């Protein structure tokens, strides 16, 4: 089974590792789409702290990840799933229901996020402590 998931993965933290390891447990291969810097800006109105290339290097180095690619558009999920021949799409539960329309080409699962950790919260905590 080929698993695909997506994320920005800026300020890599335990929540990121948890969801990637849990995603991998659904199959044999884990393919990760990492948001381009441009896509991240379109989604969140700010650039990630680490460049796409830096985030790609971090995610590629993980034992649970088999392949990494650049996600350029949220609207291309179907295209990415087809291109990478994914059987299952895994997303965090903050996206619950938003990708159910893809059930016609793969299984869609939403995994619970790690409690009390997010990149946004980390950025706030770091800013507060400086």
């Amino acid at each position: 089974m080929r698993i695909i998931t997506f994320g920005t993965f800026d300020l890599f933290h335990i929540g990121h590792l948890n969801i990637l390891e849990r995603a991998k447990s659904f199959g044999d291969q884990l393919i990760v789409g990492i948001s381009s810097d441009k896509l991240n800006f379109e989604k969140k109105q700010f650039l990630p702290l680490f460049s796409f290339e830096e985030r790609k290097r971090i995610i590629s180095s993980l034992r649970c990840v088999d392949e990494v690619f650049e996600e350029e558009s949220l609207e291309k999920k179907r295209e990415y799933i087809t291109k990478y021949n994914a059987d299952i799409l895994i997303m965090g539960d903050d996206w619950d229901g938003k990708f159910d329309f893809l059930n016609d080409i793969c299984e869609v699962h939403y995994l619970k996020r790690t409690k009390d950790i997010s990149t946004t919260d980390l950025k706030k905590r770091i800013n507060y402590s400086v």
Side-chain angles (χ1 to χ4, degrees):
M1 294 286 259
R2 292 173 58 86
I3 313 306
I4 195 167
T5 192
F6 299 85
T8 300
F9 304 105
D10 199 19
L11 284 182
F12 191 79
H13 56 70
I14 193 66
H16 292 138
L17 183 59
N18 287 343
I19 200 162
L20 291 171
E21 287 180 337
R22 288 179 12 229
K24 176 68 176 238
S25 74
F26 280 75
D28 306 311
Q29 285 189 294
L30 178 60
I31 302 129
V32 180
I34 301 174
S35 299
S36 69
D37 295 340
K38 181 180 176 213
L39 175 57
N40 191 76
F41 188 82
E42 290 170 2
K43 287 190 304 189
K44 302 179 181 184
Q45 306 311 302
F46 56 84
L47 290 171
L49 294 174
F50 294 99
S51 72
F52 169 77
E53 288 302 325
E54 291 168 320
R55 292 178 287 122
K56 179 182 179 186
R57 186 170 170 209
I58 291 166
I59 300 304
S60 296
S61 73
L62 299 173
R63 241 181 317 193
C64 61
V65 174
D66 298 292
E67 191 170 347
V68 172
F69 68 94
E70 185 174 21
E71 180 186 19
E72 298 171 334
S73 170
L74 293 176
E75 286 72 40
K76 289 186 173 183
K77 291 276 195 278
R78 181 176 296 276
E79 182 180 317
Y80 296 132
I81 290 166
T82 303
K83 177 180 180 178
Y84 291 97
N85 199 25
D87 301 295
I88 300 174
L89 167 63
I90 301 282
M91 297 297 291
D93 64 358
D94 53 327
W95 292 95
D96 195 21
K98 290 189 174 76
F99 296 106
D100 289 352
F101 68 94
L102 295 168
N103 274 312
D104 64 328
I105 60 169
C106 68
E107 292 178 33
V108 180
H109 297 274
Y110 303 95
L111 301 184
K112 194 166 185 66
R113 292 172 56 119
T114 302
K115 189 176 165 67
D116 297 328
I117 184 92
S118 77
T119 301
T120 302
D121 290 340
L122 281 175
K123 287 177 181 177
K124 288 177 187 173
R125 287 172 41 198
I126 291 167
N127 190 38
Y128 177 76
S129 67
V130 174

